[in-house]
């Protein structure tokens, strides 16, 4: 009787070896190898042989060609009837592509996918659920879309071999796998979600997508570090990696593209969580700004850009005398180390003593913004709270602050100015170096260029 095959797999990168090693040759990490046992009856079966009966016959017609002889055609895309999702994907779902969607538990991954496919009645879609029952999916579908059509077929199954059999019978236009960590193949004797299982299942689904030109959308879990669970090779296999982010205590969700072979990774989509699903937010600036801060100190409006979309966001700051011996520095939605640097600039270059005061910074709406143009609004909000003087509600600003106190230029300044003007702001502070080549006569908003932080604060507070 044949013995089971023993394999050692790196938990970091998925590198497979026949014996245990202390250091992985693939990623140079130490003590990452784990032992996996593969069934003797299927250990020698390759991925190609296992799915040969399911996939159509392939002819080895690939030939080496000079790059100048290769014809380029536009990739046919499937319209998902969701402007935000289409934008992040680069214009729609590409035929034969494999997309991985990851996010925190309960953030709304399954809801986003289900409501999207329910609104594509012209396509035959197979939804494979390894986590929820058909009854649970039906309840969610009724909450999202009352008049659901019969184009969505639900299959509750964990075995990859059974899934491939149903794919051969149904021949759908789009395949959804929820989630890839719950699917297992009999070729590997390990529990679902293990590194070997995720890698093998993803490889088989990739071949199915490329061979049949059927797009496959995988929903994936993330680990405690906030990255996609499973081997790193999973992200290399797929064509597009989408990250669904947000705080469960806030209503807004952000869809980012970390990898996209068919489009830009600079795009992002914004959604609002409602009782009947996720609503795309076409103009986030109007929802992130409130008119309730009139006459309140510690609030500044910044024109930030996430991806290629400009939007105005409200920056809130609170400065108070330290109640304990060590002053607190806390930020929500903004980099903590960046805040410490800006406070040091305020103290050293501008002369405001904050060493004995608590400083709290918050980005309204539960957003996390990484745009460096937020620096100027952070400093303005902190100083406004420190001197208890409000900033006029018709002012906004954008500018990166350097260690010497200079206001450095930012990118896409014309889009920022146009967004502020569209929302009715009367004044905007920008870096002086951004004036080069900028036609200010076409804007009705008053532009105030500054070179140093002191100039901006003098304009705001006199």
């Amino acid at each position: 009787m044949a013995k089971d095959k023993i394999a050692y797999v790196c938990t970091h990168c998925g590198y497979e070896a026949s014996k245990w090693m202390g250091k992985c040759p693939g990623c140079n990490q130490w003590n990452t190898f784990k032992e996996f046992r593969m069934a003797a009856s299927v250990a020698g079966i390759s991925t190609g042989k296992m799915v040969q009966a399911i996939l159509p016959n392939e002819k080895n017609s690939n030939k080496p060609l000079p790059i100048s002889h290769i014809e380029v055609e536009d990739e046919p895309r499937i319209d998902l009837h969701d402007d935000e999702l289409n934008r992040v994907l680069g214009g729609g779902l590409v035929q034969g592509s494999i997309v991985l969607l990851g996010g925190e538990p309960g953030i709304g991954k399954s809801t986003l996918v289900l409501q999207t496919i329910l609104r594509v009645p012209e396509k035959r879609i197979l939804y494979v659920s390894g986590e929820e029952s058909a009854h649970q999916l039906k309840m969610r579908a009724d909450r999202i879309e009352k008049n659901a059509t019969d184009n969505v077929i639900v299959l509750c199954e964990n075995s990859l071999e059974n899934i491939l059999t149903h794919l051969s019978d149904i021949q759908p236009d789009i395949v959804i796998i929820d989630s890839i960590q719950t699917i297992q193949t009999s070729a590997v004797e390990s529990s679902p979600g293990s590194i070997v299982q995720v890698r093998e299942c993803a490889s088989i689904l990739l071949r199915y997508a490329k061979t049949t030109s059927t797009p496959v959308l995988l929903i994936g879990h993330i680990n405690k570090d906030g990255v996609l669970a499973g081997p790193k090779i999973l992200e290399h296999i797929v064509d597009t990696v989408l990250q669904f982010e947000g705080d469960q205590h806030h209503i807004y969700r952000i869809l980012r593209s970390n990898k996209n072979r068919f489009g830009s990774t600079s795009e992002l989509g914004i959604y609002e969580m409602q009782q009947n699903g996720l609503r795309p937010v076409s103009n986030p600036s109007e929802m992130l700004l409130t008119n309730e801060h009139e006459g309140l100190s510690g609030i500044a409006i910044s024109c930030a850009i996430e991806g290629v979309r400009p939007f105005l966001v409200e920056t809130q700051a609170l400065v108070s005398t330290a109640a304990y011996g060590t002053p607190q520095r806390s930020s929500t939605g903004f980099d903590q180390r960046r805040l410490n640097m800006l406070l040091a600039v305020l103290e050293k270059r501008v002369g405001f003593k904050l060493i004995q005061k608590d400083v709290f910074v918050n980005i309204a709406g539960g957003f996390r913004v990484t745009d460096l143009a937020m620096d100027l609004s952070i400093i303005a909000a902190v100083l406004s709270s420190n001197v208890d003087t409000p900033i006029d509600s018709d002012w906004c600003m954008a500018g990166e602050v350097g260690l010497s106190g200079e206001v450095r230029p930012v990118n896409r300044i014309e889009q920022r100015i146009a967004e502020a003007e569209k929302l009715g702001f009367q004044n905007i502070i920008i870096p002086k170096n951004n004036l080069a080549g900028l036609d200010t006569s076409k804007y009705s908003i008053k532009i105030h260029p500054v070179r140093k932080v002191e100039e901006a604060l003098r304009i705001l507070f006199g």
Side-chain angles (χ1 to χ4, degrees):
M1 181 172 146
K3 295 183 179 180
D4 291 349
K5 178 183 176 182
I6 303 297
Y8 296 88
V9 181
C10 173
T11 58
H12 187 263
C13 68
Y15 183 89
E16 185 175 338
S18 58
K19 62 180 181 178
W20 186 90
M21 290 183 287
K23 183 180 181 181
C24 174
C27 60
N28 296 324
Q29 298 291 319
W30 288 89
N31 299 323
T32 57
F33 276 92
K34 286 188 177 181
E35 177 182 323
F36 290 92
R37 185 180 301 274
M38 303 177 68
S41 59
V42 294
I45 301 178
S46 65
T47 300
K49 292 180 179 179
M50 186 171 62
V51 296
Q52 192 66 36
I54 304 298
L55 301 180
N57 295 328
E58 298 179 85
K59 294 182 179 179
N60 188 16
S61 59
N62 295 330
K63 297 179 181 179
L65 291 173
I67 192 170
S68 59
H69 293 180
I70 299 175
E71 298 181 359
V72 179
E73 299 179 357
D74 292 336
E75 295 286 347
R77 295 181 182 266
I78 299 174
D79 183 10
L80 298 177
H81 304 294
D82 185 331
D83 293 339
E84 299 295 302
L85 184 55
N86 283 338
R87 180 190 296 111
V88 176
L89 289 173
L93 192 61
V94 177
Q95 299 273 10
S97 65
I98 182 165
V99 180
L100 176 62
L101 173 64
E104 293 276 355
I107 202 68
K109 304 183 297 296
S110 300
T111 301
L112 174 63
V113 172
L114 185 59
Q115 76 173 29
T116 300
I117 61 177
L118 288 174
R119 294 164 186 171
V120 188
E122 66 274 11
K123 297 295 182 180
R124 188 176 178 84
I125 302 170
L126 177 64
Y127 190 103
V128 180
S129 176
E131 299 178 341
E132 296 179 287
S133 65
H135 180 67
Q136 290 174 307
L137 288 172
K138 174 60 176 175
M139 292 174 60
R140 179 181 296 173
D142 289 341
R143 188 178 75 249
I144 295 173
E145 195 77 23
K146 295 296 183 181
N147 300 320
T149 58
D150 294 334
N151 67 306
V152 178
I153 303 170
V154 175
L155 172 64
C156 298
E157 181 61 67
N158 295 98
S159 171
L160 182 60
E161 286 75 20
N162 294 340
I163 293 172
L164 290 172
T165 302
H166 288 292
L167 288 175
S168 178
D169 296 336
I170 299 173
Q171 296 184 353
D173 299 317
I174 302 174
V175 179
I176 310 295
I177 305 292
D178 185 10
S179 66
I180 184 62
Q181 278 83 10
T182 62
I183 306 302
Q184 64 176 344
T185 172
S186 59
V188 180
E189 194 177 273
S190 60
S191 60
S194 64
I195 293 173
V196 180
Q197 285 283 6
V198 172
R199 185 187 62 186
E200 290 298 318
C201 293
S203 299
I204 296 171
L205 291 170
L206 171 67
R207 185 177 175 190
Y208 169 80
K210 300 302 179 183
T211 307
T212 62
S213 296
T214 304
V216 177
L217 199 155
L218 309 176
I219 297 177
H221 298 164
I222 65 172
N223 57 26
K224 61 182 180 180
D225 297 323
V227 297
L228 286 162
K232 196 68 176 177
I233 193 173
L234 177 62
E235 298 181 44
H236 292 286
I237 286 176
V238 300
D239 297 311
T240 304
V241 179
L242 303 181
Q243 191 81 9
F244 206 37
E245 304 172 354
D247 191 339
Q248 295 185 11
H249 302 291
H250 291 86
I251 61 174
Y252 298 112
R253 304 287 188 267
I254 296 179
L255 183 66
R256 301 180 189 271
S257 175
N258 296 335
K259 170 189 175 182
N260 194 349
R261 290 174 177 161
F262 306 108
S264 172
T265 56
S266 300
E267 296 284 2
L268 86 163
I270 301 178
Y271 292 87
E272 179 186 5
M273 177 63 78
Q274 296 182 339
Q275 184 67 26
N276 59 345
L278 291 157
R279 186 184 72 85
V281 178
S282 58
N283 189 3
S285 298
E286 294 181 353
M287 305 195 68
L288 294 176
L289 296 179
T290 63
N291 298 322
E292 300 175 357
H293 64 267
E294 186 75 32
L296 301 178
S297 62
I299 295 178
I301 307 300
S302 177
C303 190
I305 284 186
E306 285 293 311
V308 296
R309 298 181 66 183
F311 58 90
L312 276 75
V313 63
E314 185 178 300
T315 304
Q316 302 173 345
L318 175 63
V319 180
S320 62
T321 304
Y324 305 99
T326 304
Q328 300 182 63
R329 303 286 190 262
S330 177
S331 65
T332 304
F334 188 76
D335 186 15
Q336 177 75 48
R337 292 173 296 180
R338 189 85 185 166
L339 172 62
N340 294 334
M341 186 205 79
L342 295 176
L343 295 178
V345 170
L346 256 181
E347 187 158 340
K348 177 72 174 179
R349 303 298 180 185
V350 186
F352 287 92
K353 302 300 181 182
L354 301 172
I355 192 171
Q356 295 298 329
K357 295 188 177 182
D358 295 335
V359 180
F360 304 93
V361 171
N362 176 52
I363 305 300
F367 271 53
R368 178 164 186 84
V369 184
T370 58
D371 189 4
L372 297 179
M374 294 285 297
D375 290 353
L376 200 55
S377 66
I378 294 290
I379 285 183
V382 168
L383 188 56
S384 171
S385 178
N386 185 49
V387 300
D388 199 19
T389 302
I391 299 174
D392 291 340
S393 59
D394 62 347
W395 283 77
C396 66
M397 58 206 73
E400 178 188 352
V401 176
L403 290 177
S404 60
E406 81 279 11
V407 180
R408 302 175 62 85
V410 295
N411 62 341
R412 302 182 184 273
I413 190 63
E414 294 187 2
Q415 288 181 259
R416 300 176 194 266
I417 297 174
E419 182 74 8
E421 183 180 21
K422 183 178 70 175
L423 293 176
F425 285 84
Q426 302 297 322
N427 299 274
I428 183 171
I429 300 176
I430 66 170
K432 194 168 185 177
N433 289 336
N434 275 126
L435 283 180
L438 179 65
D439 183 13
T440 58
S441 61
K442 62 181 181 179
Y443 301 108
S444 60
I445 186 173
K446 189 174 182 180
I447 299 174
H448 302 267
V450 296
R451 190 182 298 274
K452 295 183 178 180
V453 173
E454 305 95 282
E455 298 178 30
L457 299 180
R458 197 177 300 114
I459 293 174
L460 290 172
F461 304 103

